[in-house]
Amino acid sequence: MNTQEEKTVNNRCFTDFSGKFRARLAAVIPRFFGGGADSKVTGTSARYQCRVKIEYQKDLMGLLEEGMLLAVRNFKQVGEAAERYTLMEISRVWPEHFGLRGLSDHGYYPMQFEIIEQSEGDWQTDDTSTMMIQIDAVPINYDLVMSGSGEFEFVKGFSYPVVGSHAYLLNSGMINCMYNKRITDQMGIDASRTVEDARVDPRLGLVKMFEASKTVIPIYVDFEKLVRYHFGVFAFTGGGKSNLTANVLRRILLHTDKENTKVVLFDISCEYAFLLLDLLADPAFPSKIVLEHRVDSVEQFFNSVVKPREYEEDERIKAGLQCVMDQGKVGYYTKPKQKVPKYIQFLDELAAQRKDSAEKPHYINAIDKIHDAVLEYMEEHGLSEGQEVNEKFVEHIDAVAREAVEQFRVHDKSGLYAWATTRTTILDTIKSKRDKETAETGGLTAEKIRELVEDKTTRLVCLSISDPYSIKELAIALTQELLSHRKRRFQVKPYILMVFDEAQEFIPATGDSGGIDKKCSRQVETLLRQGRKYGLGVCVSTQRIANLNTNALQQLHTYFVGTLPRPYDRLLISDTFMIDKGILEKTLEFAPGEWLLSSYIATGIENVPIFIKADNAEKEVEKHLSSLKR
């Protein structure tokens, strides 16, 4: 490649901030060593750390940002007219002054102060003999291959860079192409016309890069893969978890096929009736909000919704909620008053009878006959263990059980005989439950909510229930039923995204929990492990990642990380998702709404951390409230 060609390619792919950025790779430092305390670096997919030195320019410190990408020529060659560069992400930037570096705490105090005072003015000059800028960068395991004709491609894998060679900074156009081209081509979007309006543009926000030069780079994701392969949102209180989750859900619902994507939201904090008010109040958008108790007035509805501080007394919200009520989109959860046994309970009861009858072989034969009859009935009718039994099953198994105890001469005073001859009593429970459900008006049971989710028209079901036991019970029932229905039908579409806000309530670490907490955690874990095969995705949003079921976390393919002040939380993120700790430390500086996004499947380039500024969900709600006011 001749000098003129190189200059043309460099102008198209790289930026030097009008001649200010002149840098070289100074060192490549191995991240793993032969032994001792540094023998392992937790949570990094890069084997090396790179040190880059830059000639000092007074304006550069305001232009360089963590998250920018550098390109350095490497030893791999692909042809005479092509160049191959190792890509690395900036994790730390700092200026260095030669005089201050040589300053010793043991020196004469007045001399120390004089040197420090004189150095202040040096920072306002471009004196490259006294100062430099240093950068730590982490290879992202991609190479940039550029041909002499100006074509380029990103190739997966790490190549050792040439120490001492120039370090180039990828410009905004290359960043946009790298992060977005695959997604925008798939969606048919022109990224240069990006806007914040959620109904117009499916972007999630802006890339936090080149902000000093006011260059706008949007960020897009593949919504289908985001939904199907699970994602997580992690940040401390006040980091904007609910705001981001609402924004992502809004764009998923607005910019995916209405027949192929649905959302079920477990809203234990009761925030999303406000954060998604513009969608819930839209007559053209089929949705349902299920509350904990029946509400008869908009005042009750208003008081049950958690709102941001600045909206707590905003009367416009009542008008929005009234629209939702007028459209019949508000229901309430009714707990089952009659507990109809499930098939698994029949099998468990038979297992208990078998244990009690271990010394009576003829009793065991009777139990086995009944057990096999239960399994045969379930297989013949395509039923799952988690489903409630029906009247035909009870009548069938009653006949089998009576025949078995007679055939194997089970004593009529035994517990097995009593169990086998009292199955018809369950029929009264089934009939009583059916009659009560028929008489109910407005209440929604778990079964009715499942039918609502699987209804062809309903896009969003928001379960705003603050009682932990009730919503966990509902989560267990819904996830079991949806998963078993999909398995029986070999069904994948429509995709259903199950959103667990305050996820520590639903998937706590199983070693620290028991009862319904443990059962719920294991059920959601099962959903995460098996759901993607059947079009059931999961979103996990929490501030307490250290308390979560790590087996469940391992199933997430995309994650948004905000500020996590606790070191253990950051360490767990680093270890679970293989993200470099140097990159992750940057999140401590984040303002609300700023996130680190990385994905194995849903972004334009796999497993590369991207610093983003998410669009604000409250702006969409404010637009809706303003339209009501007029």
Side-chain angles (χ1 to χ4, degrees):
M1 187 184 297
N2 62 41
T3 305
Q4 184 60 39
E5 287 175 334
E6 183 177 7
K7 186 175 180 181
T8 302
V9 170
N10 286 356
N11 289 340
R12 184 165 56 251
C13 299
F14 306 132
T15 179
D16 61 3
F17 294 123
S18 302
K20 296 183 178 69
F21 185 84
R22 294 188 291 274
R24 287 186 181 271
L25 177 65
V28 179
I29 307 163
R31 301 296 295 272
F32 297 88
F33 302 91
D38 294 328
S39 61
K40 180 182 178 183
V41 176
T42 302
T44 178
S45 57
R47 293 178 294 150
Y48 300 93
Q49 177 177 311
C50 299
R51 180 65 54 83
V52 177
K53 296 184 183 290
I54 309 169
E55 292 184 14
Y56 183 79
Q57 296 281 334
K58 63 180 180 180
D59 298 331
L60 263 183
M61 283 303 297
L63 296 171
L64 294 173
E65 302 174 47
E66 288 92 344
M68 287 182 168
L69 297 184
L70 298 174
V72 179
R73 281 195 178 91
N74 60 49
F75 287 100
K76 284 190 178 179
Q77 298 298 321
V78 290
E80 293 183 3
E83 295 286 347
R84 186 163 179 144
Y85 297 84
T86 298
L87 295 179
M88 52 192 72
E89 185 166 3
I90 297 175
S91 61
R92 192 161 65 109
V93 183
W94 74 98
E96 203 163 85
H97 191 287
F98 183 79
L100 293 177
R101 187 175 185 183
L103 192 64
S104 171
D105 287 341
H106 302 291
Y108 184 48
Y109 293 160
M111 186 177 294
Q112 289 188 48
F113 280 110
E114 185 175 351
I115 293 172
I116 294 170
E117 183 180 352
Q118 288 180 356
S119 69
E120 181 185 9
D122 293 341
W123 299 117
Q124 304 307 315
T125 70
D126 294 331
D127 185 359
T128 57
S129 65
T130 306
M131 295 163 294
M132 72 161 59
I133 296 174
Q134 299 219 56
I135 284 177
D136 277 344
V138 180
I140 63 172
N141 297 324
Y142 275 91
D143 281 0
L144 170 63
V145 180
M146 296 195 303
S147 66
S149 61
E151 296 180 355
F152 59 86
E153 64 174 327
F154 300 102
V155 180
K156 183 77 172 174
F158 171 77
S159 302
Y160 199 93
V162 179
V163 178
S165 62
H166 281 285
Y168 301 97
L169 196 63
L170 267 62
N171 62 27
S172 58
M174 282 292 285
I175 295 294
N176 196 355
C177 177
M178 183 177 183
Y179 290 164
N180 292 319
K181 189 175 189 306
R182 181 174 67 83
I183 309 296
T184 53
D185 287 352
Q186 180 180 313
M187 290 184 170
I189 298 167
D190 183 358
S192 65
R193 297 183 178 180
T194 184
V195 292
E196 193 174 358
D197 191 331
R199 292 180 180 268
V200 176
D201 194 345
R203 77 178 198 190
L204 296 187
L206 302 177
V207 177
K208 274 183 60 62
M209 203 180 297
F210 300 102
E211 290 182 304
S213 57
K214 297 183 180 179
T215 302
V216 174
I217 307 173
I219 184 69
Y220 297 92
V221 297
D222 185 326
F223 289 130
E224 180 179 320
K225 291 179 178 176
L226 185 72
V227 168
R228 190 169 178 184
Y229 292 92
H230 319 313
F231 66 99
V233 181
F234 312 115
F236 195 58
T237 302
K241 295 185 306 300
S242 300
N243 192 302
L244 173 69
T245 304
N247 222 6
V248 173
L249 298 182
R250 179 180 284 105
R251 282 162 167 79
I252 288 172
L253 291 166
L254 290 173
H255 297 282
T256 55
D257 188 343
K258 64 181 180 179
E259 295 181 357
N260 283 333
T261 312
K262 297 172 178 285
V263 172
V264 180
L265 178 54
F266 293 90
D267 179 21
I268 196 171
S269 55
C270 302
E271 296 177 290
Y272 290 87
F274 170 81
L275 291 170
L276 295 173
L277 183 58
D278 54 314
L279 293 183
L280 291 166
D282 186 347
F285 188 83
S287 56
K288 192 81 170 183
I289 181 165
V290 181
L291 302 176
E292 192 168 350
H293 303 290
R294 177 173 179 169
V295 294
D296 297 313
S297 68
V298 72
E299 197 72 37
Q300 289 178 317
F301 195 6
F302 179 81
N303 291 335
S304 70
V305 174
V306 175
K307 302 164 281 292
R309 187 178 305 167
E310 57 271 26
Y311 286 96
E312 286 179 350
E313 304 298 330
D314 195 329
E315 293 293 319
R316 297 176 300 168
I317 297 173
K318 292 183 181 179
L321 296 176
Q322 186 67 58
C323 289
V324 180
M325 293 183 71
D326 290 345
Q327 295 171 44
K329 293 181 177 180
V330 181
Y332 63 94
Y333 176 50
T334 299
K335 295 181 182 180
K337 298 179 177 60
Q338 297 289 332
K339 287 283 187 181
V340 176
K342 298 180 180 179
Y343 292 99
I344 186 64
Q345 289 174 245
F346 264 74
L347 297 174
D348 288 344
E349 288 171 6
L350 285 168
Q353 292 288 346
R354 185 183 182 90
K355 187 176 179 181
D356 294 339
S357 307
E359 297 179 356
K360 300 175 182 177
H362 56 302
Y363 282 28
I364 298 294
N365 292 336
I367 292 168
D368 287 344
K369 181 174 182 178
I370 302 169
H371 184 274
D372 291 346
V374 174
L375 294 179
E376 287 170 7
Y377 187 93
M378 290 170 60
E379 185 177 348
E380 181 181 344
H381 294 84
L383 301 169
S384 67
E385 293 179 345
Q387 289 182 271
E388 293 180 349
V389 301
N390 56 37
E391 293 177 61
K392 287 185 179 179
F393 168 78
V394 173
E395 292 168 354
H396 169 71
I397 215 66
D398 176 68
V400 171
R402 290 177 183 275
E403 180 184 341
V405 294
E406 292 296 328
Q407 178 182 351
F408 294 101
R409 300 184 181 278
V410 176
H411 197 280
D412 60 4
K413 301 295 183 182
S414 68
L416 176 60
Y417 188 92
W419 183 90
T421 55
T422 56
R423 294 304 88 200
T424 52
T425 57
I426 298 172
L427 294 173
D428 295 333
T429 304
I430 296 173
K431 184 177 184 301
S432 176
K433 180 186 176 184
R434 185 174 61 244
D435 292 343
K436 286 187 177 182
E437 287 184 357
T438 303
E440 286 172 357
T441 56
L444 295 170
T445 61
E447 179 64 22
K448 287 184 178 179
I449 292 172
R450 182 193 62 77
E451 292 173 0
L452 190 65
V453 172
E454 293 190 332
D455 180 70
K456 289 185 178 180
T457 57
T458 307
R459 299 286 314 280
L460 170 65
V461 177
C462 181
L463 306 171
S464 291
I465 300 171
S466 61
D467 177 50
Y469 189 91
S470 296
I471 199 167
K472 288 173 193 174
E473 189 178 53
L474 185 54
I476 293 167
L478 268 182
T479 52
Q480 279 181 341
E481 287 297 300
L482 287 170
L483 192 56
S484 63
H485 273 238
R486 291 285 172 112
K487 285 181 177 179
R488 290 199 305 274
R489 300 175 183 176
F490 301 99
Q491 183 181 355
V492 175
K493 290 186 177 180
Y495 298 129
I496 300 176
L497 177 64
M498 316 282 280
V499 183
F500 294 94
D501 190 47
E502 303 295 344
Q504 71 276 359
E505 297 287 343
F506 299 94
I507 49 172
T510 52
D512 301 329
S513 59
I516 195 168
D517 289 338
K518 192 168 189 175
K519 187 176 181 182
C520 187
S521 183
R522 287 184 171 174
Q523 181 57 38
V524 177
E525 180 190 333
T526 301
L527 178 66
L528 279 156
R529 283 191 283 104
Q530 301 179 11
R532 62 177 173 269
K533 293 183 289 187
Y534 303 102
L536 299 176
V538 174
C539 167
V540 171
S541 175
T542 183
Q543 62 181 351
R544 303 174 64 187
I545 186 171
N547 294 345
L548 296 190
N549 181 337
T550 52
N551 291 332
L553 286 179
Q554 292 284 356
Q555 307 302 320
L556 305 179
H557 282 61
T558 304
Y559 46 94
F560 298 83
V561 183
T563 301
L564 293 169
R566 298 187 184 94
Y568 183 75
D569 288 340
R570 297 197 301 277
L571 184 64
L572 186 61
I573 288 275
S574 179
D575 190 37
T576 304
F577 302 117
M578 295 303 292
I579 179 170
D580 189 87
K581 288 189 293 183
I583 298 290
L584 197 57
E585 292 298 312
K586 173 67 176 175
T587 62
L588 291 172
E589 305 169 19
F590 282 175
E594 296 179 349
W595 300 88
L596 185 152
L597 162 64
S598 189
S599 176
Y600 292 101
I601 197 165
T603 49
I605 191 161
E606 296 175 9
N607 202 27
V608 174
I610 309 168
F611 297 121
I612 70 169
K613 173 71 174 178
D615 290 336
N616 190 349
E618 290 180 17
K619 289 187 177 180
E620 299 296 326
V621 178
E622 178 60 36
K623 279 194 297 185
H624 173 71
L625 295 177
S626 298
S627 68
L628 291 175
K629 190 176 182 180
R630 289 197 298 270

